Structure formats: structure tokens, C-alpha cells
Amino acid sequence: MEKKLEDKIIDSVYRFETKKTGLQIISNIVIMLCVGFVVFIFASLTIDYFSQLHTVDVLEIFTDGMDTVMNNVGNIMNIIYYETPKRLVTLLLISSLLLFYILLTFVTNFESMSKKIQSIIRFWLKR
Amino acid sequence: MAQLTDIDILSAVKKGNINKYEILVKKYMKIIYSLVAKQLFNKLDIEDIVQVVFVKFYKNIERFDEKRPVLPYLYQIAKNELKMYYRSHKELRLSDSLEIADNRKIEFNIDDLDTILKELPPEQKDIIQMVYDGFSYSEIAEKIQKPLNTVKTIVRRARIKIIHTYYGKKT
């Protein structure tokens, strides 16, 4: 009787953990893909914006030597600042930070997640 | 292999080694089973509650501080589950058996029951008779012009007296 009840308890625990881990993995993947896609879109738009305005051309000053660069640092920064699409870059930064956070969480939890998956697989194979 | 302490087991489970939870279940299952079996008589109900206790503990294991002792926490879960069980199974039916709040059942024969009812004080006897006739507690309270909680208290006292009288007669 004891063994049967013990098995029932462990069975319930593994069923719960299988559902929970499965949902966690799926939601992690979906969130990472969505946020990654958003970052990609913002990055593409930002690069597109800069290339349309030829803002990057201002960096050609670096070919004129360090003295010229040092004398015109203020102007260069001003041009880049005024031509930058601020909202777009802010959104890009926020979404990049979010993606970084998600990836960091995934990496720190990876070991425990993989141990759980191994335990779950072993259990269901033994059944 | 050195025996694992509860702290080791809980740390291992939190790190993903779910199989270590079996050790905890083996260690405390008998104790929790005994606790629940003192309150209930139906084997299936006892097993269900014990199962729920350990599954609930597992679900909350991430939030549980492994330095705290496990048994009092399991006791608390078991007590809460028993409370919920009593709430969902509370009923009094008087026919030739008497079901008390926690599902303990005493089989009377009709003569015994009549005799036992006669030994109740008039107020208790009238109320128990009304329960037997199918009146709800609210209806009884309205009929006898007493608060609902008073009716419940009277019924509870009557039940206790019936049990004591019945067991007194049996010995």
C-alpha cells in the first residue's frame, strides 16, 4: 500500500513538473523569438535611417588624421546627435536590453532546466 | 553513501534533481498518513489527502527556505487540506445511521436510535427531529426563533451526546 501511494505521489509530481517545464521552455522560446524579432526590426530601421541620411559619411573625417578629428569632435557629435532618430534608438536600446536580460536568465537557469529535463525523461522512459 | 539531510534534498530538488524528492516522500509519508488517518476513516480519502499534501509542498518548494524544518510545514498543509475536506463533506442525515461532520458513520438500529433520542433534552430532541424531517438549519432557526449559529451549536451538542450515549450503551 505504501509503495503504491508513494508511486502515485511521485507520478503526480512528475506530471506537474513535465507540464510546468514544457510550458516554460515553449514560453521562453516564443518570448526570445518575439523580442529578437523586434530588436531586428528596430535595428534594421535604424540602419536604414542612418544610410538614407548618409550620417555615417561624417565618420570619413577619421581619414584626415587625429588632429582634424580632435578639433571637430564637438561638431561630429552634434551632427550624429541631431540626425539620430531618438525614439527609434531608444526603442532599440530597450528591446536589446530586454533580449539581453532574457538570454541571461535563460543561461543562468540552463543547468537546472537541463537537469529537470533529464529527470523527467528518465522517469517517463522508466515507466 | 551518507544519508542526505532535508537541506541537501531540498537544495538538490531546487537545482532540478526532481528524483531526490522521492527521498523526502519516503521519509515523511508514514507520519503524514498517520496524522490524516487519525481524522478520517475512508482509505481512499486518506490517500488522496496525503497525495495532495506532498504535491502541494513540491509546487511551493522554490519558495520554501530549505533551512526551515519540513515536517511542520507538511503538517500545516495536511491540516488545511483536512479543513477543506470537512467543509466539503459536512452533513448530518439521520435515518438509521448518523453521519457526523468528518464522515464518521455510526450504524444504529431503529430501536436504539429512538431510545437515544428520548435521552436528549427536549430542545435538542426537537431540533434533531426537525433535521430528520428534512428541514435546513435556516428553516429550523426561523421556526424556533433562534439564531442560526445557536441551532448549529445545539445540533453539534446533540450529536456528541448521541455518540456518547450510543457508545455507553454498547459497552
Side-chain angles (χ1 to χ4, degrees):
Chain A
M1 181 272 286
E2 249 177 60
K3 187 76 183 118
K4 264 191 176 174
L5 179 57
E6 215 177 276
D7 290 343
K8 265 169 83 176
I9 293 168
I10 298 301
D11 205 66
S12 304
V13 164
Y14 271 98
R15 276 178 201 279
F16 163 77
E17 191 59 54
T18 305
K19 266 190 218 160
K20 184 178 157 210
T21 307
L23 281 169
Q24 231 174 331
I25 292 169
I26 292 168
S27 63
N28 277 346
I29 292 170
V30 167
I31 290 170
M32 267 194 274
L33 285 173
C34 290
V35 176
F37 182 68
V38 165
V39 169
F40 173 75
I41 297 290
F42 284 145
S44 307
L45 286 172
T46 309
I47 292 166
D48 202 39
Y49 192 91
F50 277 133
S51 58
Q52 274 183 14
L53 289 180
H54 301 281
T55 311
V56 188
D57 294 350
V58 83
L59 298 174
E60 283 176 1
I61 203 167
F62 281 94
T63 57
D64 293 344
M66 275 322 282
D67 286 336
T68 320
V69 171
M70 293 312 291
N71 290 333
N72 292 290
V73 146
N75 283 336
I76 295 166
M77 298 309 291
N78 253 342
I79 292 166
I80 291 173
Y81 177 75
Y82 280 112
E83 290 192 359
T84 299
K86 292 168 191 59
R87 269 193 207 149
L88 199 54
V89 168
T90 311
L91 288 170
L92 175 63
L93 273 169
I94 292 171
S95 52
S96 302
L97 282 168
L98 185 60
L99 183 64
F100 176 74
Y101 173 76
I102 291 167
L103 287 169
L104 190 69
T105 315
F106 181 76
V107 166
T108 46
N109 290 333
F110 182 77
E111 199 189 331
S112 99
M113 183 71 83
S114 66
K115 277 187 186 161
K116 271 189 195 173
I117 293 169
Q118 280 173 40
S119 290
I120 289 168
I121 291 171
R122 248 183 270 133
F123 175 77
W124 289 113
L125 286 176
K126 232 194 312 182
R127 264 171 127 255
Chain B
M1 188 174 110
Q3 207 159 18
L4 293 172
T5 62
D6 287 354
I7 295 175
D8 297 330
I9 296 168
L10 291 170
S11 302
V13 172
K14 284 184 185 184
K15 284 180 186 156
N17 292 317
I18 309 169
N19 52 321
K20 295 280 186 258
Y21 192 68
E22 282 177 62
I23 304 171
L24 210 69
V25 171
K26 274 193 180 100
K27 188 173 172 184
Y28 292 111
M29 197 184 76
K30 256 191 186 166
I31 301 170
I32 299 297
Y33 191 96
S34 309
L35 168 74
V36 177
K38 278 183 197 160
Q39 307 289 328
L40 302 181
F41 293 81
N42 186 314
K43 190 184 160 199
L44 289 173
D45 289 340
I46 297 169
E47 287 184 357
D48 280 346
I49 289 182
V50 171
Q51 189 178 339
V52 166
V53 166
F54 283 98
V55 172
K56 272 200 171 160
F57 181 58
Y58 180 81
K59 286 180 182 178
N60 290 307
I61 215 163
E62 293 293 331
R63 283 179 277 164
F64 185 78
D65 180 5
E66 57 256 37
K67 295 187 190 98
R68 284 172 54 201
V70 172
L71 192 55
Y73 192 74
L74 290 173
Y75 266 150
Q76 196 53 52
I77 301 174
K79 282 181 193 164
N80 291 340
E81 286 304 311
L82 282 166
K83 264 190 214 163
M84 280 168 50
Y85 177 89
Y86 290 151
R87 260 185 227 144
S88 59
H89 286 77
K90 202 154 73 168
E91 55 188 354
L92 171 68
R93 278 197 315 270
L94 213 61
S95 51
D96 47 1
S97 69
L98 187 66
E99 287 203 32
I100 315 299
D102 59 354
N103 233 14
R104 277 179 285 182
K105 206 169 166 177
I106 303 167
E107 300 290 341
F108 296 95
N109 68 50
I110 295 287
D111 293 333
D112 269 353
L113 184 63
D114 280 345
T115 317
I116 288 165
L117 284 178
K118 278 178 190 150
E119 292 185 30
L120 291 176
E123 189 183 49
Q124 287 181 5
K125 187 183 153 196
D126 290 340
I127 289 175
I128 290 290
Q129 191 61 55
M130 279 193 261
V131 170
Y132 177 60
D133 291 340
F135 287 99
S136 70
Y137 288 3
S138 330
E139 284 166 350
I140 295 171
E142 212 182 298
K143 245 180 158 341
I144 63 170
Q145 301 280 308
K146 280 203 155 94
L148 181 62
N149 284 336
T150 307
V151 170
K152 287 180 182 176
T153 306
I154 294 170
V155 169
R156 191 168 55 241
R157 284 187 193 146
R159 281 185 205 154
I160 293 167
K161 196 165 168 61
I162 289 169
I163 302 280
H164 288 153
T165 313
Y166 177 74
Y167 280 112
K169 281 187 182 313
K170 274 188 87 167
T171 55

